[in-house]
Amino acid sequence: MPSRNAIKGKQLYRILFFGVIFTVLAVGTLALLGVREFRRDAAAVAVESSARGLSGAVTVLMDAVASSNGEIGAQAFTSLKPEALRREATRILKKHAVLTAIMVSDGSGLRFMLVRTPEGGLEVLPESGSDTESRWTLWKRDGSSVPGTPLKDYQRTVMDSALADEFGHLMPGQVNWRSSYGFRASGESWLTASTLVQSEDQRIMASYVFPVDAIVNRLGGAEKGSAEKVFLFWDSGKVLPVPASARAEAQGDKARPFLDGEKMDDPVIAGAAQMLASGKGTRKAPFFYTVNGEVWWGYVLPLSVFGDTMSLGVAVPRKNIVSTLTGDNFLLLFGGVLMLLAAAVLLVLHRNKTRIEAIGIRHKVPRNAQDVLKLIAEGESGIVEFKQTLRFNLKSGKNGKEIEHASLKSVAGFLNSEGGILLVGVADDGVVAGFEEDRFENADKALLHFNNLVNQQIGTEFSRYLESTVIEVQGKSVLAVHCLPAPVPAILDNGKSEEFYVRSGPASRQLTLSQFYEWLQNH
């Protein structure tokens, strides 16, 4: 029973010790996960905000497609007659110099196209009765017309199929950006923005053709927010970087070339393209990747509704997103402070190890007569000892130092072992005799005498590990001394020599010098 109580104290110390370690690890892990989640949220907001802000620059071009003033959009192309289409398209091309061509189509394909050329507007009308032939007319600036020369690589069947497919999927109010249909040798370097409009008797689709430089220049001069890299990305894996300068160098009819992601000179944009191509990055959420040891966050905002999907991409370095409280330096500082705090708590636990381990015994501290009688009933043991008197020798009939020494060596033995309780006023057979033979004036004098003995012969520094009180039991006075294990050896000075005692069963045993040395090694 006594040893089991002591073990409980040791178990408590282990629980506290490893509990501190577990708590530090848990707090550190939760803090790290929390910061990582915060970083993800901050990154998502940053890259999405940058992409949507830049998309406003593209919206300026969309205004040429569906402006609210009626010049272009719902009020344009109210008739499918060639003269009416030519008149509207010519007016739009004159008003918006950024446009290269305008196409009008329906569910069967192309119905009309007007292309801006240095000589004037090159008009394309499908030849009636033919699925492949078209009539080309060059309308000069002076109003005259001559047969025009077909555009290089123009394939009407391909264009009709693509336009009809787009017409079938596009919903009212939507604008779909995509690569052009290859009516120029430079192909993908020309873009179209298509929207549905209502003619006199049917719904048609107006497609506006821009050189890719138009978008690149707009994006190059736009406010980029936290983004450091801007690019256009297609599902085909083609990438077009946007220069950091306010205006991109014009490419003319040579057209700005699109590149495969792996052929990009810029490793940041190449990394984003590879993430998108591999499926690790999507157009649904921001993604992160590492370039030369630096973490970047990427995001692509689709500008297309379907088809040859074109997206606006941005890349933001983590350093532009991470705040002071979520930076690596702060995490290192927080981790260091957490470890120092844990070390301090563990040091306090270690210094109070013996006191904590003695908690299993502490609950047996006698507070009243019933507690004393219960201890007496259990008998003497490794943690309980009886002494009939504190200083009076019953055999010689006078006070003796040997009687005081007997009580003090029991106290020293408890201090050097697992603690225990000394009951003065109880005979060896458990009879409550009281210590009245010691002839103290009162209980306070008895406690003072005992404390003085401890201070003089064991040391005042050990008084903190002792709790003494006088309890009235069956009309007799009993001195109860509760001893906790001391963190350092308690050596008893008898005036002639120094002695070291430990508990051995129900008795205190003095150790030799070699035994004391061995005890030190084990403690």
Side-chain angles (χ1 to χ4, degrees), residues 221-346:
E223 173 59 42
K224 297 178 177 60
S226 57
E228 286 193 5
K229 303 290 182 179
V230 182
F231 58 94
L232 296 175
F233 178 80
W234 281 261
D235 276 355
S236 61
K238 298 291 185 180
V239 182
L240 181 63
V242 175
S245 59
R247 294 286 295 177
E249 183 181 352
Q251 300 293 317
D253 286 345
K254 295 181 180 179
R256 189 177 301 276
F258 286 49
L259 299 173
D260 293 326
E262 63 272 12
K263 296 180 180 179
M264 289 292 303
D265 292 333
D266 190 318
V268 175
I269 297 180
Q274 291 171 8
M275 289 287 291
L276 291 166
S278 65
K280 295 179 180 179
T282 69
R283 287 181 297 279
K284 296 181 180 179
F287 56 89
F288 68 93
Y289 57 101
T290 304
V291 178
N292 298 328
E294 184 177 11
V295 177
W296 288 76
W297 281 85
Y299 179 68
V300 288
L301 178 66
L303 299 177
S304 303
V305 178
F306 64 92
D308 182 17
T309 306
M310 183 178 83
S311 301
L312 171 62
V314 296
V316 180
R318 191 176 68 180
K319 64 182 180 183
N320 288 7
I321 303 171
V322 176
S323 65
T324 302
L325 294 180
T326 57
D328 292 337
N329 291 337
F330 176 80
L331 289 179
L332 290 174
L333 178 61
F334 176 78
V337 171
L338 196 62
M339 292 187 68
L340 287 176
L341 180 62
V345 174
L346 291 176

Side-chain angles (χ1 to χ4, degrees), residues 350-355 357-358 411-420 458 461-466 483-491 500 519 523:
H350 179 71
R351 288 183 174 179
N352 293 273
K353 178 179 179 181
T354 52
R355 303 187 71 178
E357 289 181 342
V411 171
F414 288 138
L415 291 172
N416 292 325
S417 301
E418 296 181 347
I458 298 179
E461 66 272 19
F462 292 95
S463 59
R464 70 182 71 177
Y465 304 110
L466 303 178
C483 307
L484 292 175
V488 294
I491 297 176
F500 185 81
W519 181 92
H523 291 75

Side-chain angles (χ1 to χ4, degrees), residues 152 231 257 401:
K152 186 178 180 182
F231 58 94
K401 295 292 184 181

